[in-house]
Amino acid sequence: EKGGYDSFMLKEIYEQPQAVRDTMGARIDRENKRVILPELKMSDAELATYDRIYIVACGTSMHAGLVGKDIIEKWTRVPVEVAVASEFRYRDPIYTDKTLMIVISQSGETADTLAALREAKKSNVKVLAITNVVGSSVAREADEVIFTWAGPEVAVASTKAYTSQVVALYLFGLYLAQVKGTLAAAEVATIVEHLETIPGKIASMLEDAEQVRRFAESTKGINSLFFIGRGLDYAVSLEGSLKLKEISYIHSEAYPAGELKHGTLALIEDNVPVVALATQPDIYEKTVSNIVEVKARGAHVLGFATEGDYDLAKTVDEVIYMPATLPMLTPILTVIPLQLLAYYASVARGLDVDKPRNLAKSVTVE
Ligand code: F6R
C-alpha cells in the first residue's frame, strides 16, 4: 500500500504532481484560459459582493491560508485575515453581510475548525470550505465546498494536502478576480498558463533530492535550525519549520527575515543552520542583506533561489534552485524541498516518519 516507498509520507510527497493536477482538473477552461468553479452554488453576483474574507484553519492548513491571503489580496484587493481556528472560535469577530469565511481542512473533521465554522454560521456568515474529504463534517456543514483532489493522506505530516490547498486557493483567487474584474483577461490567462506547468515543475524537483538529503543528514547533531524569508517566502518558511519540528523533533523557528534583528539574531552563532528563502524578486535585495547578517554571525546557510539567479551563491554556503515561474506561484515549488528536508532529517535520526510522537492525523477533540 506504500507503493514501493518506505513511508506514506514519501509516497505522498511524490504524489504531489498528480494531486495538484487533479485539483486543477476540470476547473481550468483550457480554451479560454480562465478558471471555472461549477461547484459554487452562489451566483457570481453574490460572490462579487464580498469585501472581506476570514480564512480559518489549523496547522498546515492555516499555512496554506497564509499563502492564500497574499494571493487573494493581490489579485482581488479584498482584505483577508488568516486566523488559527482554536483562537478564532473564541473571538468576537467583526462580521458584516459582506464577510465571507473560508475554512481549510484536509480531514474536514478538525474540532476547532468545525467549531469556528459553526460559530460563523450562527452569525449567518457564508462559509466556503476547502477540504479533501467528501462527506466530512466540514464538507457537509459549509455552504459552499471546493474539494482538493489529493486522494487519501495517511502520514500524519501533511504534504500533498497542503500543495492541493494552495492550488485551490489560487483557483478561488483567480475566480474571484474574474468575477470582480480586478485582473484583466490577459493577466488571468498568463497565470493560468503558468499554473498548468506547475505539476511538471514539481515532478522535476522530485527527481533529484540528493542535495536536500545531504543537508538533512548534516543536521543530525544539531538541535536548532532557523528558516527566514519575506512575504510569500515567509509563509512557506512557517510550513517548512512546522514539518521539521513535527517529524524530526529538531527545534526550529521561522522568522520574517527583517524581524531577526529585533531579537532572534542573538541565537545565531557559529554553524547554526539557517534555511534562507529568496525567491521573491521585489524584496530580494532586502532578504539578501538579512542573509549577510546571519552569515556574519557564523550561520551555515542553505539558500533557496530561482533558477537563473546565480548571485545568491556568492552569499550563502549552498543553494537549491527553484524552477522559474511567476513569483506568486513559487510557494508551491519552494515547499517541496522543505518537505524533503524534514523527511530526510527524520530518517537520519531513525524516527518513525509517518507516526511522530504525541500527534494524531485527525484532531477531533479540542
Ligand atoms: C501538520 C498537520 C497538521 C494539520 C492540522 C489541520 O503536518 O498535518 O498541522 O494540518 O491538524 O488538519 P486538517 O487540515 O485536517 O484540518
Side-chain angles (χ1 to χ4, degrees):
E1 51 189 31
K2 290 178 191 160
Y5 293 96
D6 52 18
S7 66
F8 281 107
M9 184 184 178
L10 194 61
K11 172 173 175 268
E12 289 160 6
I13 286 173
Y14 277 82
E15 282 171 351
Q16 289 180 107
Q18 193 60 42
V20 162
R21 199 176 288 121
D22 289 347
T23 300
M24 282 190 246
R27 293 165 176 150
I28 289 182
D29 170 355
R30 289 186 172 74
E31 202 177 328
N32 300 302
K33 302 225 175 287
R34 58 203 299 281
V35 173
I36 44 174
L37 290 177
E39 58 265 70
L40 292 188
K41 291 179 271 175
M42 69 172 126
S43 65
D44 287 355
E46 180 188 334
L47 183 59
T49 63
Y50 293 112
D51 64 3
R52 188 188 162 93
I53 298 176
Y54 283 115
I55 298 182
V56 181
C58 302
T60 289
S61 296
M62 190 275 288
H63 292 157
L66 291 173
V67 175
K69 169 191 164 72
D70 277 22
I71 55 190
I72 293 170
E73 288 188 342
K74 183 155 177 105
W75 292 342
T76 72
R77 310 310 295 157
V78 174
V80 180
E81 187 188 329
V82 182
V84 169
S86 56
E87 290 292 315
F88 189 84
R89 63 181 292 190
Y90 296 116
R91 265 170 60 179
D92 184 8
I94 300 162
Y95 293 132
T96 71
D97 56 359
K98 294 179 182 147
T99 303
L100 176 69
M101 176 156 165
I102 300 178
V103 294
I104 309 176
S105 176
Q106 185 284 129
S107 62
E109 302 296 346
T110 300
D112 285 319
T113 308
L114 191 56
L117 176 162
R118 287 177 180 157
E119 284 298 317
K121 286 202 69 177
K122 256 192 245 163
S123 304
N124 291 316
V125 171
K126 181 81 45 134
V127 180
L128 166 79
I130 295 177
T131 180
N132 197 40
V133 179
V134 178
S136 60
S137 303
V138 163
R140 278 185 281 112
E141 296 188 31
D143 300 291
E144 305 278 352
V145 186
I146 297 176
F147 285 107
T148 47
W149 298 117
E153 194 180 60
V154 178
V156 166
S158 180
T159 53
K160 62 177 181 171
Y162 172 87
T163 37
S164 304
Q165 288 162 349
V166 170
V167 167
L169 288 159
Y170 285 134
L171 296 173
F172 176 77
L174 283 172
Y175 191 76
L176 188 60
Q178 286 170 193
V179 164
K180 283 186 172 270
T182 46
L183 286 181
E187 291 175 294
V188 173
T190 304
I191 299 167
V192 164
E193 275 169 16
H194 278 89
L195 257 184
E196 288 189 292
T197 67
I198 292 291
K201 287 176 179 165
I202 297 176
S204 77
M205 295 181 81
L206 289 170
E207 266 166 33
D208 183 12
E210 192 44 33
Q211 191 186 359
V212 189
R213 197 186 60 74
R214 259 187 285 116
F215 182 84
E217 294 221 319
S218 76
T219 65
K220 216 173 155 185
I222 67 111
N223 44 30
S224 194
L225 190 153
F226 294 85
F227 293 87
I228 60 171
R230 288 172 181 253
L232 284 169
D233 283 335
Y234 170 55
V236 183
S237 296
L238 286 165
E239 175 55 9
S241 177
L242 175 61
K243 217 89 299 173
L244 188 73
K245 284 181 274 234
E246 193 180 4
I247 59 167
S248 77
Y249 314 152
I250 300 173
H251 164 253
S252 92
E253 294 188 41
Y255 259 84
E259 185 67 7
L260 280 180
K261 54 168 74 68
H262 300 285
T264 313
L265 199 53
L267 294 171
I268 307 294
E269 52 183 351
D270 265 353
N271 293 320
V272 169
V274 174
V275 177
L277 280 56
T279 71
Q280 299 295 308
D282 53 337
I283 42 177
Y284 179 80
E285 297 299 335
K286 301 286 172 191
T287 305
V288 170
S289 71
N290 300 127
I291 297 173
V292 170
E293 287 159 7
V294 297
K295 272 305 300 168
R297 272 83 187 172
H300 179 85
V301 182
L302 171 66
F304 281 33
T306 307
E307 197 66 60
D309 162 21
Y310 301 113
D311 274 353
L312 194 68
K314 295 175 200 147
T315 313
V316 303
D317 298 283
E318 6 174 357
V319 188
I320 293 187
Y321 292 99
M322 310 298 124
T325 185
L326 297 177
M328 297 298 279
L329 303 186
T330 313
I332 204 165
L333 301 177
T334 325
V335 76
I336 306 291
L338 295 178
Q339 295 168 344
L340 289 166
L341 170 58
Y343 172 80
Y344 284 116
S346 177
V347 169
R349 289 171 181 234
L351 301 171
D352 184 343
V353 174
D354 285 337
K355 287 199 178 60
R357 67 188 179 202
N358 310 341
L359 299 171
K361 180 63 182 163
S362 187
V363 185
T364 54
V365 290
E366 187 173 1

